[in-house]
Amino acid sequence: MLDLSKVQVSSSPHIRSDETTKQIMLDVVIALMPALAVSIFVFGWRSLIITLFSVCSCIFFEWLYGILAKRPNTTGDMSCMVTGVLLAFNLPVTAPLWMVFVGAGFAIIVVKMLFGGIGKNFMNPALAARAFLFSWPVIMTTWVKTRTELPLFTTPVDVVTSATPLSYLKNGVLPDASLLDMALGMVSGCLGETSALALLAGGLYLLYRRVITLHIPLSYLGTVAVLTYLFPRGGLPAGSFMLAHLLSGGLMLGAIFMATDYTTSPLTKKGQVIFGIGCGLLTVFIRYFGSYAEGVSYSILIMNAFVPLIERFTVPKNPAEKRKLSFKKAKEAGKSE
Amino acid sequence: MKGIGKQFKEGILTQNPVFVQFLGMCSTLAVTISIQNALGMGLAATAVLICSNIVISLLRKVIPAKVRIASYIVIVAGFVTAIDLLMQAYFPDLSESLGVFIPLIVVNCIILARAEAYASKNAVFPSAVDGLTMGLGFTCALLVMSAVRELLGAGTLAGVQVMPDGYQPAMLLILPAGGFLTLGFLVAIFQKIIRKGE
């Protein structure tokens, strides 16, 4: 007989996991570390300084907003740290520190906190800040040669610049760097985006920790791979053209770490696949036909804006209703026979 | 005379066409990249607004209700053409930098809204004052917005370098996206100030 004295009445949810926002954010930060290590090797200690400064600025702005708006301090959930690292990863290593500070302020105050803080922003803060920082297009597209000595704190001047693999691809030629160099990250580009392998390692860790699922990264990268394989430009061999596109620019960083942001991506698996395919299509379109060489950040931002629409079209059906429908169909099929 | 004071307060503050009524957004966002443009646009719209309010108020009993919008547009278009030609003659530079936005005053919602909501129901003198106050409210809003955008986006105010030499202007603010951002922030600040006053 059931002992009713032990049965408790309470409202849902009845099953809770130990997962917290902080734990997830910490996992993301850990997953970004290999890319940071490669970046320090490729661009020198300045990339560590920029990343740390960006993280501190983001924490500062979130704390400041809490004080100004008389809201509880939310810096403890570590989401601003992730924004800080991602923002730094999206900047060239030669970016002056004041620009990092402005970007952090825009990301945290305008894009995140004004819309209600974590879980309520409709765009990825780090990417929106990158778009804002294109106010200074020259700084944002100055790519220093790999392994150049850079001053740690002051703004570097007269650096030896070099073209990124993407600018070669834009002109319809294969990059001068080998595919191996591109995979390892020994090419110029934004601070944290160059090493596809380090980012993939981080992605595998996130998959293992079940922070992300494969839907968005796979559909995103898959779309780019298929399109670039089917339509190589400048008469280049399709295989190496496709690999060069996959390994260059911010594609890995975007597909693994930024398109998968919980707040700004769809909830359902179907929606996530649509979202990923949309990102992939836009990225290839911008890379092929746009005026910028890179399109990852804009395509993710544009798809962020489409998320509410995607959600509306992918509302899951009630299972009972589904069964009724299939039953009806079977009955009709039986009748016609 | 008390009524006029109230009309001024409404036009510039509590019923500000841009920050409260959200009218004329197209020209607001487009021309506020420099103070000269904003001033030119604001004054041109004010002139049209006063004239059209007077004429529409005079004709308010003549115009049949069914074709009133078309009639308003014809009246407004007449004044806009006059202003456009005058500006081309006397301020060719300003006219060139404002470009298509001067002819587009014809379809500016502020003018049609005031015609419909005020001039078609009130006597001539209050209608003229309404045109003046609403026009001034529009001009003030444009001036504030263009001051912010020009200062941050180009480092100048009315073409004069204000920011120190080391300042690198944030180009985004004079691009369309910056217009929306500035407008959002200014509306928020404005609403806060008005609420406090109540």
Side-chain angles (χ1 to χ4, degrees):
Chain A
M1 195 57 198
L2 187 66
D3 182 9
L4 279 178
S5 67
K6 279 186 188 159
V7 177
Q8 273 187 1
V9 180
S10 70
S11 65
S12 60
H14 302 295
I15 303 172
R16 291 165 204 267
S17 77
D18 301 328
E19 234 179 353
T20 59
T21 310
K22 195 172 166 180
Q23 183 63 48
I24 291 173
M25 294 300 160
L26 192 64
D27 274 339
V28 178
V29 172
I30 292 171
L32 284 163
M33 285 306 115
L36 181 62
V38 174
S39 180
I40 294 170
F41 178 73
V42 177
F43 296 114
W45 290 104
R46 187 180 167 85
S47 61
L48 180 67
I49 300 279
I50 287 201
T51 310
L52 285 179
F53 184 71
S54 169
V55 168
C56 294
S57 310
C58 282
I59 295 175
F60 165 74
F61 277 114
E62 190 147 335
W63 169 82
L64 183 75
Y65 184 87
I67 300 245
L68 290 180
K70 301 194 181 76
R71 300 257 167 99
N73 182 4
T74 47
T75 49
D77 63 23
M78 293 185 62
S79 63
C80 49
M81 269 184 76
V82 174
T83 303
V85 179
L86 286 177
L87 173 66
F89 275 23
N90 272 295
L91 297 175
V93 72
T94 45
L97 290 182
W98 62 262
M99 212 168 106
V100 181
F101 191 70
V102 170
F106 189 81
I108 295 295
I109 302 243
V110 178
V111 187
K112 187 179 171 196
M113 299 316 280
L114 283 182
F115 284 93
I118 184 173
K120 303 210 174 71
N121 50 301
F122 76 108
M123 275 184 175
N124 187 308
L127 281 181
R130 175 187 151 93
F132 179 76
L133 292 181
F134 261 93
S135 288
W136 298 278
V138 179
I139 302 177
M140 286 299 284
T141 49
T142 301
W143 312 114
V144 68
K145 246 177 112 69
T146 52
R147 302 199 64 83
T148 320
E149 285 281 321
L150 290 170
L152 282 186
F153 297 100
T154 50
T155 309
V157 283
D158 296 334
V159 289
V160 183
T161 58
S162 109
T164 62
L166 272 177
S167 50
Y168 285 100
L169 289 172
K170 186 98 190 167
N171 298 330
V173 284
L174 281 180
D176 59 347
S178 67
L179 285 176
L180 183 68
D181 274 353
M182 286 165 68
L184 289 174
M186 292 302 292
V187 287
S188 37
C190 285
L191 200 151
E193 71 178 17
T194 56
S195 172
L197 284 182
L199 291 164
L200 277 176
L204 285 178
Y205 174 75
L206 288 185
L207 278 174
Y208 168 72
R209 298 282 299 170
R210 299 196 180 179
V211 173
I212 61 172
T213 57
L214 268 177
H215 298 89
I216 292 177
L218 212 59
S219 54
Y220 191 167
L221 296 172
T223 309
V224 174
V226 169
L227 277 182
T228 48
Y229 187 80
L230 290 180
F231 306 105
R233 308 198 95 192
L236 296 172
S240 46
F241 183 79
M242 176 191 86
L243 280 177
H245 260 290
L246 281 181
L247 295 175
S248 59
L251 187 58
M252 288 292 168
L253 182 65
I256 297 170
F257 290 97
M258 290 186 294
T260 52
D261 176 13
Y262 288 158
T263 317
T264 54
S265 63
L267 289 168
T268 59
K269 287 170 184 150
K270 206 162 125 197
Q272 290 178 349
V273 172
I274 298 174
F275 178 82
I277 292 174
C279 287
L281 287 174
L282 285 171
T283 302
V284 175
F285 290 162
I286 295 176
R287 281 185 179 182
Y288 274 25
F289 312 116
S291 53
Y292 288 118
E294 176 58 305
V296 169
S297 53
Y298 291 112
S299 31
I300 297 176
L301 284 175
I302 292 170
M303 289 313 289
N304 280 169
F306 274 108
V307 166
L309 268 181
I310 298 174
E311 303 270 46
R312 186 185 288 180
F313 287 112
T314 53
V315 177
K317 275 214 178 73
N318 183 336
E321 209 172 300
K322 235 188 203 164
R323 215 168 57 202
K324 228 195 239 160
L325 275 177
S326 60
F327 184 65
K328 213 171 163 189
K329 256 187 205 156
K331 218 169 153 189
E332 270 165 18
K335 251 183 210 164
S336 64
E337 266 170 15
Chain B
M1 281 301 113
K2 205 178 156 196
I4 294 179
K6 196 177 156 234
Q7 272 184 315
F8 267 96
K9 194 184 162 208
E10 277 185 355
I12 294 168
L13 289 173
T14 52
Q15 290 294 318
N16 187 297
V18 175
F19 293 145
V20 179
Q21 300 189 57
F22 290 98
L23 294 172
M25 287 291 113
C26 165
S27 46
T28 304
L29 290 166
V31 305
T32 51
I33 51 172
S34 75
I35 288 187
Q36 289 104 316
N37 279 5
L39 194 63
M41 179 74 199
L43 292 182
T46 309
V48 173
L49 197 48
I50 296 172
C51 299
S52 68
N53 263 11
I54 291 175
V55 173
I56 288 167
S57 172
L58 280 169
L59 296 175
R60 68 184 186 279
K61 286 176 185 138
V62 184
I63 298 171
K66 277 185 183 164
V67 293
R68 64 185 193 285
I69 301 288
S71 319
Y72 299 160
I73 292 279
V74 172
I75 294 166
V76 175
F79 286 116
V80 170
T81 311
I83 295 279
D84 189 19
L85 293 175
L86 280 172
M87 282 181 74
Q88 278 178 26
Y90 291 100
F91 308 100
D93 296 343
L94 186 63
S95 166
E96 198 164 301
S97 74
L98 285 173
V100 75
F101 289 101
I102 289 294
L104 277 181
I105 296 179
V106 177
V107 284
N108 192 317
C109 310
I110 297 176
I111 291 162
L112 211 56
R114 291 329 287 178
E116 172 77 8
Y118 200 92
S120 62
K121 296 181 185 109
N122 288 286
V124 177
F125 182 67
S127 297
V129 176
D130 182 73
L132 177 68
T133 54
M134 283 294 155
L136 285 181
F138 182 56
T139 313
C140 291
L142 291 190
L143 281 178
V144 174
M145 214 172 127
S146 62
V148 174
R149 288 180 74 184
E150 200 187 327
L151 185 68
L152 296 176
T156 58
L157 273 181
V160 183
Q161 184 75 31
V162 181
M163 289 301 219
D165 281 340
Y167 179 72
Q168 303 200 24
M171 212 180 65
L172 187 97
L173 279 169
I174 50 174
L175 296 177
F180 283 99
L181 280 173
T182 318
L183 184 66
F185 275 100
L186 286 178
V187 167
I189 295 169
F190 199 82
Q191 300 275 358
K192 176 121 191 153
I193 293 171
I194 287 186
R195 297 255 165 88
K196 229 175 216 171
E198 274 168 5

